[in-house]
Amino acid sequence: MNALHIPLPPVKIAFQGVQKSYPAKHASQAPTLALDRLDVAIRDAEIVSVLGPTGCGKSTALNLIAGFEEASSGAVVLDGQRVEGPGPDRAVVFQQASLFPWLNVFDNVTLGVRCRGVPPSDYTPRAEHLLDAVGLTAFAKHFPYQLSGGMQQRVQIARALIAQPKVLLMDEPFGALDYQTRIFMQELLLKLWVEFKPTVFFITHDVAEAIFVSD
């Protein structure tokens, strides 16, 4: 009997011999090598976690995918094209929610698409659906100071997903949350992944978290 051949999804993100160095602050010091000859292929709709101690280059790798920084040598490739800067096909979720305190939840979620000129008839149904998906429909008119840390992170995830990004970059997004809220957020991430199927690059210090959320 022949085994059923299931083709692998295409490669979404590729690090090709990537090196990243930061210049020394003083002439007597050597440059800081953050990444050295990194070769990684991440396939479409995978959730890939990056583990490691502080200073090992995790956030540098994320910033290279996001287009916030450039590699010193080698290339970061997204959908076959070299990453040369930020774009709406990638969204970042940071450890701190970084919401605008003068905007309510709905306006925080929709700020990016409104700034890009997307008409309300397009973004309003998506925003309402996302707020329902993250359990914040009843809090759409609340302001950040009225929300718990976990709720603020849910707002940030909804804001990241409203532009329908192909890639979701998450830099220790649940690291500042208490244990029970963290478990809830991990389950929420998987629920949202099932619905929206982004490729997820997830940074964490927690081995158990990486095992739970990752492919």
Side-chain angles (χ1 to χ4, degrees):
M1 182 181 295
N2 293 328
L4 180 63
H5 176 68
I6 301 176
L8 292 172
V11 172
K12 190 72 175 178
I13 303 164
F15 289 84
Q16 300 175 344
V18 171
Q19 185 181 66
K20 178 63 179 177
S21 297
Y22 294 98
K25 293 182 179 180
H26 303 287
S28 61
Q29 296 177 330
T32 299
L33 181 62
L35 297 173
D36 187 17
R37 293 168 293 177
L38 180 62
D39 288 283
V40 176
I42 301 171
R43 296 190 177 274
D44 188 42
E46 277 189 320
I47 302 178
V48 173
S49 285
V50 182
L51 283 160
T54 299
C56 73
K58 304 184 301 298
S59 294
T60 296
L62 182 146
N63 288 336
L64 291 172
I65 300 172
F68 298 155
E69 299 183 20
E70 294 183 4
S72 303
S73 63
V76 181
V77 177
L78 175 66
D79 285 332
Q81 300 294 318
R82 186 174 185 138
V83 174
E84 296 183 341
D89 53 350
R90 287 149 286 157
V92 183
V93 177
F94 298 102
Q95 184 173 359
Q96 301 299 328
S98 64
L99 303 177
F100 293 99
W102 58 88
L103 297 178
N104 63 33
V105 166
F106 183 88
D107 289 340
N108 262 290
V109 169
T110 59
L111 178 63
V113 288
R114 286 189 284 118
C115 289
R116 287 197 289 272
V118 177
S121 58
D122 286 350
Y123 69 69
T124 297
R126 289 210 306 270
E128 291 173 345
H129 176 67
L130 282 166
L131 288 174
D132 179 63
V134 299
L136 291 176
T137 297
F139 297 88
K141 299 302 181 184
H142 284 58
F143 289 86
Y145 75 90
Q146 297 173 302
L147 307 177
S148 68
M151 295 168 77
Q152 290 183 24
Q153 281 298 77
R154 284 187 266 164
V155 176
Q156 187 178 199
I157 292 172
R159 182 174 64 185
L161 289 174
I162 193 169
Q164 300 173 305
K166 300 175 182 178
V167 175
L168 191 59
L169 306 170
M170 309 188 79
D171 195 352
E172 297 189 64
F174 311 142
L177 303 177
D178 65 82
Y179 179 76
Q180 287 186 321
T181 303
R182 189 167 185 162
I183 295 298
F184 171 82
M185 293 299 293
Q186 293 166 2
E187 293 173 346
L188 175 63
L189 172 62
L190 294 179
K191 171 188 169 184
L192 295 171
W193 177 83
V194 168
E195 179 171 0
F196 298 101
K197 282 295 191 292
T199 303
V200 181
F201 187 88
F202 189 94
I203 292 176
T204 179
H205 285 289
D206 188 329
V207 176
E209 180 171 70
I211 292 170
F212 182 72
V213 304
S214 309
D215 291 299

